[in-house]
Amino acid sequence: MKNILIFAFTLIFSLSFGTEKNLQTLDHAIFNSLLQKHVSKQGNVDYQGFKTDIKKLHTYIELLSANHPKETWSKNEKLAYWINAYNALTIDLILRNYPIKSIKDIKNPWEQRLWKLGDKLYNLDEIEHQILRKMNEPRIHFAIVCASYSCPKLQNEAFTSSKLEEQLSKATKEFLADKSRNIITKDEIKLSKIFQWFSKDFKQNESLIDFLILYTEVKISPKAKKSYLDYNWDLNE
């Protein structure tokens, strides 16, 4: 009898703990379905198509608001939340002003506090600089997309905590291999200005070249000549 009671207590505790843990992990399926439907494998965004699903996008943003990250969430859960939030809110910002040719056609696009997540209004600048960059994961720069041609391509799937390592590595490798955004040879590297703007993020424990060689097949010389390419702010459609 005693063993049965112990087993029953253990089972109830396990189920309760599991339920609590599941509540911490946000399901990004709504955003994933939108990205699959309106973003090509090349990262081109069908904003006109997104407009027809604006209610579904807003449902996802409401889901983000109702499930603000808790301290008990893992780092990967928080990263997935904020990366998806940044991308979803950027799309929403574009749709609020569409048709436009560039995100820069919008007045102070990264400073507008338009979205309430939890009990606080956020803008894109705060999510990028005050939250994501402080999580010491430089690959976020290839996951968050500012709706521009020279940005990394918008992935056509949502980021999830369980697949995050694979997704961040894939996004980084694809960006570095894209010769319209980076030209990398053994003795010369012509890089996106992302590496100039956020240079400190890529030199946390090593040099920039040390970071690059982790995600490119090119054997870059430590003495490689470095320059930066012009940044094209045209809309990524």
Side-chain angles (χ1 to χ4, degrees):
M1 182 67 180
K2 183 179 179 181
N3 289 339
I4 294 173
L5 288 173
I6 292 173
F7 174 78
F9 177 79
T10 303
L11 180 62
I12 292 169
F13 179 80
S14 299
L15 289 172
S16 299
F17 180 79
T19 301
E20 182 181 353
K21 187 173 183 180
N22 287 338
L23 289 173
Q24 294 173 8
T25 307
L26 178 61
D27 187 348
H28 299 283
I30 295 175
F31 192 41
N32 188 74
S33 67
L34 287 170
L35 293 171
Q36 295 258 305
K37 184 177 179 181
H38 300 300
V39 181
S40 73
K41 290 184 178 180
Q42 292 72 39
N44 301 113
V45 184
D46 177 11
Y47 290 104
Q48 193 64 49
F50 250 114
K51 287 192 76 170
T52 66
D53 274 331
I54 190 69
K55 288 184 179 179
K56 195 172 182 180
L57 178 64
H58 288 168
T59 296
Y60 177 66
I61 294 172
E62 289 168 6
L63 186 66
L64 292 173
S65 181
N67 292 273
H68 195 270
K70 300 176 177 64
E71 286 299 320
T72 52
W73 286 23
S74 70
K75 180 179 179 179
N76 279 4
E77 286 172 332
K78 292 174 183 176
L79 279 167
Y81 176 98
W82 288 113
I83 290 169
N84 289 329
Y86 185 97
N87 290 338
L89 302 186
T90 299
I91 292 168
D92 187 51
L93 177 67
I94 297 300
L95 296 182
R96 288 168 183 253
N97 296 275
Y98 196 81
I100 53 175
K101 293 183 177 180
S102 168
I103 192 172
K104 285 197 163 186
D105 293 340
I106 304 169
K107 184 178 180 180
N108 300 322
W110 297 286
E111 298 170 15
Q112 295 190 28
R113 293 188 181 275
L114 301 173
W115 307 277
K116 192 172 185 180
L117 303 179
D119 57 1
K120 179 181 176 181
L121 286 169
Y122 286 87
N123 61 27
L124 296 172
D125 256 356
E126 183 172 5
I127 293 173
E128 179 177 11
H129 301 292
Q130 300 304 316
I131 299 174
L132 282 168
R133 290 185 66 198
K134 290 186 176 182
M135 296 181 75
N136 298 319
E137 176 48 84
R139 293 174 298 176
I140 59 105
H141 292 295
F142 315 113
I144 58 174
V145 180
C146 60
S148 303
Y149 178 79
S150 286
C151 288
K153 77 175 191 180
L154 181 63
Q155 299 291 323
N156 68 342
E157 67 173 3
F159 287 83
T160 62
S161 59
S162 61
K163 295 172 58 180
L164 191 66
E165 175 61 31
E166 173 190 341
Q167 289 174 313
L168 289 177
S169 291
K170 175 176 177 285
T172 304
K173 289 176 181 178
E174 287 179 346
F175 184 65
L176 289 177
D178 185 343
K179 290 182 170 54
S180 66
R181 293 169 172 86
N182 298 277
I183 303 172
I184 299 175
T185 63
K186 178 183 176 183
D187 297 312
E188 184 174 13
I189 52 176
K190 298 179 181 179
L191 299 174
S192 164
K193 284 189 176 178
I194 288 173
F195 290 103
Q196 182 179 38
W197 296 332
F198 306 109
S199 59
K200 290 182 180 179
D201 295 4
F202 301 103
K203 300 176 184 177
Q204 293 174 4
N205 302 308
E206 52 205 4
S207 70
L208 173 58
I209 289 179
D210 287 333
F211 174 85
L212 295 175
I213 61 177
L214 294 174
Y215 301 100
T216 178
E217 295 181 0
V218 180
K219 295 181 179 179
I220 308 169
S221 166
K223 297 180 180 180
K225 182 180 178 182
K226 179 177 65 178
S227 59
Y228 298 98
L229 300 172
D230 291 336
Y231 209 84
N232 184 345
W233 289 99
D234 288 348
L235 206 62
N236 60 339
E237 60 181 352

